[in-house]
Amino acid sequence: MAAYVNRSMSMMAGDGPHNVAILNNGPVRVNMANVDSPLQIFVRAKKKINDIFVEIDDYVKDAVSFMHAVSGEKGIATPQDVANVEAYVSKVQAIREVLKRDHMKVAFFGRTSNGKSTVINAMLHDKILPSGIGHTTNCFLQVEGSDTNEAFLRTDGSEEKLNVQSVSQLGHALCASRLQECSLVHVYWPRELCALLRDDVVLVDSPGVDVTPNLDEWIDQYCLDADVFVLVANAESTLMVTEKNFFHKVSTKISQPNIFILNNRWDASASEPEYLDQVRTQHANRCVDFLSRELRVCSPKEAEERIFFISAKEALLTRMREREKPVSSPILADGHQVRYFEFVDFERKFEECISQSAVRTKFAQHSRRGKNIAADVMAALEQVYNSATDRKTTMVEKQRLLHEQLSAIEEQLTTITRQMKDKINRMVESVEHKVSLTLSQEIRRLSALVDEYDALFRPERAALEQYKRALHRHVEAGLGSRLKKRLSSDIGHEMDEAQKEMAERMYSILPSHKRGAAAAVIVPHQQPFEVLYRLNCDNLCADFHEDLSFRFSYGITALIQRFQGKHANRIALKNPPTYAQVRHLWL
Ligand SMILES: Nc1nc2c(ncn2[C@@H]2O[C@H](COP(=O)(O)OP(=O)(O)OP(=O)(O)O)[C@@H](O)[C@H]2O)c(=O)[nH]1
């Protein structure tokens, strides 16, 4: 109580921060002291949830980029996985749009002339909606804050901005251009002029519930998203069946609606002070009974906190005065301050209720949705992570097996290479032995070769030199062809066998799928093996001096020593396979 009294006194005194907005009739100065308003619960929650959805939006977009990046990797993310995550981008956008527009909505109902429009005007601190005796409000009028600092009207479904003065024509039952009772007119009022509007409260005025049979249609169109309902009753009479019927219908369509009951026109009680308490108790009991027992929307104790006895007319007058606006009836009845405090108390409790209700009903659903989206996207990313991890494990295992295989093969290759080198060494020794033996035998029959040489011998120096060179060629050719004939096929056969064995052993260590490719590299030599023996008689006989008297001799013993000497001649084993060729197969 103390809080609202202080606040009310402060507002009546006109202190606290003020804002200025421009209306048709000039600049307006308004009290905006609502920093501790319960509406801030909704305002802060809205900012918080909007910020969270900005983060969810970024998270989803990052996830989409990531999914696109990995979609090329086989077995990690399918195009369907990418599309599933991508679908959340538009869902998050849609929620963000709804969140931006989310507001707290309060709908005012009651019989004609009970003072619904006057209550709204008092809450807005200005005479915005038409009011007067008789049936005044002809259609639904929704007052909401305008983002631009201007006041204007818009009929539902139209983009045309109408002058704010035309609300009297459009919404007034007595004007010729009035709309259908179910129509909606948006009244945009500068947020800066009213704390309620600035904090995203939307107020809906309605025609009297006693002037229409279309209550169901009203409820479906204007009540389903309302956070709070205010029944504006007439304290001069009592709750009427039409009013009760309307809220019975509301409570069948909406679970546990938040309903406040304002017993308006309580200023009338000033003229009958002797019955004031009894009437108040009677009205209060009936209202508590209606909310708690008939509608079952709250407990009797909670109901007591939802029932107020006010004078909207006085509250509006007080606030118009405070803003130095001209007022028609300056005289206020006795007890007007107490009634004003109760009006302020109603505003406070209404703000708490609408703020908490809107946060719960509107943001709780969005929070769940946001959590689910984040969880779904995280699950998709986890699936990608798990697939990638499985793939990595498989590849690492494959790499380990390959390394093992490679090490084993390199070991075998080293063994084979060593064995082959030993074999080659043994073969070289064997061939040298064979060549040496064959050469000895051939040299022993060298005289026969020399005897076959039948060129004309002349002792002159020049002719003698020519004779010697020709004889050398003859001996070289004869000896070479004899060695080749006797050694080639024997050694060649041995070489072929050795090459074949080497190739087969190489094949045996290769993995089966590599053998095809290796066949082109490990091929046993196809060229026939031949023994080449380079016999240079000119060198061999360089220190030979002919005895012309005895013709000449080749000095057989010397020749044999020369042939077998370590710096003399070498057997050439043509085309042996090399270690480099063998190793190339593996690299
Ligand atoms: N004495 C007194 N008169 C009031 C009070 N509240 C509103 N009125 C007057 O009652 C008449 C009807 O007020 P409205 O605000 O137009 O009532 P309403 O419920 O909006 O009426 P409809 O728009 O026709 O449904 C106006 O002349 C107001 O000045 C109040 O608390 N005390």
Side-chain angles (χ1 to χ4, degrees), residues 359-540:
V359 167
R360 195 171 48 246
T361 56
K362 296 192 165 77
F363 299 155
Q365 189 197 355
H366 292 318
S367 305
R368 273 195 300 278
R369 193 82 192 93
K371 255 165 101 173
N372 290 343
I373 290 173
D376 289 350
V377 172
M378 199 168 95
L381 293 177
E382 266 174 6
Q383 194 188 328
V384 168
Y385 173 78
N386 291 338
S387 306
T389 307
D390 288 350
R391 182 125 187 260
K392 185 185 165 193
T393 309
T394 310
M395 297 307 280
V396 166
E397 179 59 15
K398 206 169 166 185
Q399 187 193 34
R400 191 187 62 77
L401 287 174
L402 277 173
H403 272 299
E404 270 180 21
Q405 250 178 317
L406 191 63
S407 303
I409 288 169
E410 271 182 349
E411 227 171 84
Q412 289 179 55
L413 190 61
T414 309
T415 308
I416 291 172
T417 306
R418 196 185 60 245
Q419 289 171 350
M420 287 300 135
K421 274 183 179 169
D422 291 348
K423 190 171 178 79
I424 289 168
N425 286 340
R426 283 196 302 278
M427 279 175 65
V428 169
E429 279 172 19
S430 155
V431 168
E432 278 182 352
H433 177 72
K434 278 182 188 165
V435 169
S436 170
L437 192 69
T438 311
L439 188 60
S440 302
Q441 289 166 358
E442 285 303 316
I443 284 174
R444 277 193 200 94
R445 57 175 299 278
L446 199 58
S447 56
L449 198 60
V450 174
D451 287 347
E452 284 168 15
Y453 183 70
D454 55 357
L456 181 64
F457 177 80
R458 285 189 296 153
E460 297 85 22
R461 174 56 55 194
L464 184 61
E465 284 305 318
Q466 199 181 355
Y467 182 88
K468 273 164 69 179
R469 275 198 300 278
L471 178 58
H472 291 167
R473 299 291 88 78
H474 171 75
V475 169
E476 282 168 11
L479 197 56
S481 85
R482 291 273 312 165
L483 285 172
K484 192 172 164 184
K485 197 171 162 191
R486 290 187 58 187
L487 291 173
S488 284
S489 80
D490 206 12
I491 296 175
H493 178 69
E494 221 173 300
M495 289 299 299
D496 287 347
E497 284 302 310
Q499 282 189 343
K500 215 166 130 195
E501 186 194 335
M502 282 185 208
E504 277 168 4
R505 292 196 65 181
M506 293 303 298
Y507 276 125
S508 70
I509 60 169
L510 290 175
S512 53
H513 66 279
K514 286 273 183 185
R515 287 182 190 160
V521 186
I522 312 174
V523 189
H525 250 281
Q526 299 302 313
Q527 290 172 11
F529 178 83
E530 61 181 327
V531 174
L532 294 179
Y533 196 91
R534 192 179 299 273
L535 183 67
N536 191 333
C537 287
D538 292 341
N539 282 345
L540 288 170

Side-chain angles (χ1 to χ4, degrees), residues 111-118 131-137 208 264-265 267 311-313:
R111 279 184 303 121
T112 308
S113 278
N114 277 4
K116 301 179 290 296
S117 308
T118 310
S131 69
I133 54 168
H135 172 201
T136 311
T137 307
N264 192 31
R265 293 175 170 270
D267 53 306
S311 170
K313 187 175 178 178

Side-chain angles (χ1 to χ4, degrees), residues 172-376:
H172 202 296
L174 296 176
C175 287
S177 55
R178 68 179 192 270
L179 299 166
Q180 294 289 317
E181 64 172 31
C182 243
S183 311
L184 175 67
V185 173
H186 295 269
V187 180
Y188 292 97
W189 199 253
R191 287 178 192 278
E192 298 307 318
L193 291 182
C194 177
L196 284 180
L197 300 181
R198 195 197 58 190
D199 289 343
D200 276 338
V201 176
V202 167
L203 303 98
V204 180
D205 193 7
S206 62
V209 289
D210 50 336
V211 299
T212 180
N214 302 324
L215 291 180
D216 283 315
E217 200 181 333
W218 282 16
I219 294 168
D220 291 344
Q221 274 189 273
Y222 300 113
C223 296
L224 298 182
D225 63 339
D227 300 293
V228 166
F229 295 90
V230 178
L231 166 57
V232 181
N234 186 349
E236 291 175 276
S237 58
T238 189
L239 279 184
M240 297 286 177
V241 176
T242 44
E243 292 164 327
K244 286 184 168 186
N245 279 347
F246 176 77
F247 281 98
H248 273 292
K249 280 178 183 288
V250 168
S251 63
T252 59
K253 297 199 179 200
I254 301 169
S255 148
Q256 302 283 301
N258 297 303
I259 302 171
F260 284 79
I261 298 178
L262 297 181
N263 289 289
N264 192 31
R265 293 175 170 270
W266 192 233
D267 53 306
S269 65
S271 58
E272 296 177 35
E274 64 274 24
Y275 296 113
L276 192 140
D277 289 340
Q278 290 94 320
V279 175
R280 185 178 172 122
T281 307
Q282 185 189 56
H283 282 347
N285 289 342
R286 286 181 183 174
C287 290
V288 168
D289 194 55
F290 174 59
L291 291 180
S292 61
R293 200 182 55 76
E294 284 188 49
L295 293 180
R296 296 175 186 278
V297 294
C298 59
S299 67
K301 195 157 177 43
E302 286 167 334
E304 281 172 21
E305 297 291 305
R306 299 275 177 94
I307 296 157
F308 299 87
F309 291 79
I310 58 148
S311 170
K313 187 175 178 178
E314 288 174 349
L316 178 61
L317 275 174
T318 305
R319 288 179 174 176
M320 296 286 283
R321 269 187 191 163
E322 185 190 314
R323 296 179 55 196
E324 296 158 9
K325 289 226 167 186
V327 287
S328 54
S329 164
I331 301 164
L332 298 174
D334 283 351
H336 68 92
Q337 276 196 335
V338 175
R339 287 187 291 279
Y340 184 70
F341 291 159
E342 191 152 347
F343 185 79
V344 174
D345 188 31
F346 152 69
E347 288 181 306
R348 186 80 180 180
K349 291 196 172 117
F350 151 79
E351 288 178 7
E352 278 170 10
C353 177
I354 198 169
S355 179
Q356 286 168 4
S357 170
V359 167
R360 195 171 48 246
T361 56
K362 296 192 165 77
F363 299 155
Q365 189 197 355
H366 292 318
S367 305
R368 273 195 300 278
R369 193 82 192 93
K371 255 165 101 173
N372 290 343
I373 290 173
D376 289 350

